Amino acid sequence: MNIGPVLSERLGSVGIETLEQLKQLGTLRAWERIAEKTPEEERVHTLLALEGAIRAVRWTAISRPERDRLLAAAGLR
């Protein structure tokens, strides 16, 4: 969920091949690995998609305060 072919390719390019690997790294560490490969206009959605994938929910199900915390931690807000 939340990981389409483009994001999957970006993750794979930095050695993240499985959901388990993504979970072990965590959202922010995985994000840091692919941030440079992600166009600026896609960065917010990509970060939230990673968190949604880890939680097995659509990113829109993540509460606004949690989204804001993630965005701030990633330096996107």
Side-chain angles (χ1 to χ4, degrees):
M1 186 176 293
N2 295 300
I3 297 181
V6 172
L7 182 50
S8 179
E9 183 177 318
R10 287 182 187 140
L11 289 167
S13 74
V14 295
I16 304 169
E17 301 285 342
T18 67
L19 179 58
E20 191 56 40
Q21 288 173 320
L22 176 60
K23 287 179 178 180
Q24 287 176 349
L25 272 176
T27 301
L28 290 173
R29 286 182 58 208
W31 162 247
E32 290 168 355
R33 290 189 180 188
I34 65 167
E36 289 182 12
K37 300 172 186 298
T38 305
E40 190 171 336
E41 66 273 8
E42 296 176 19
R43 290 181 180 177
V44 168
H45 181 264
T46 299
L47 176 69
L48 296 175
L50 290 171
E51 180 68 14
I54 287 173
R55 295 180 184 208
V57 300
R58 291 205 42 84
W59 70 267
T60 55
I62 301 168
S63 73
R64 174 60 69 184
E66 290 175 283
R67 284 190 248 168
D68 290 343
R69 178 192 57 78
L70 269 173
L71 294 171
L76 296 172
R77 289 268 157 105

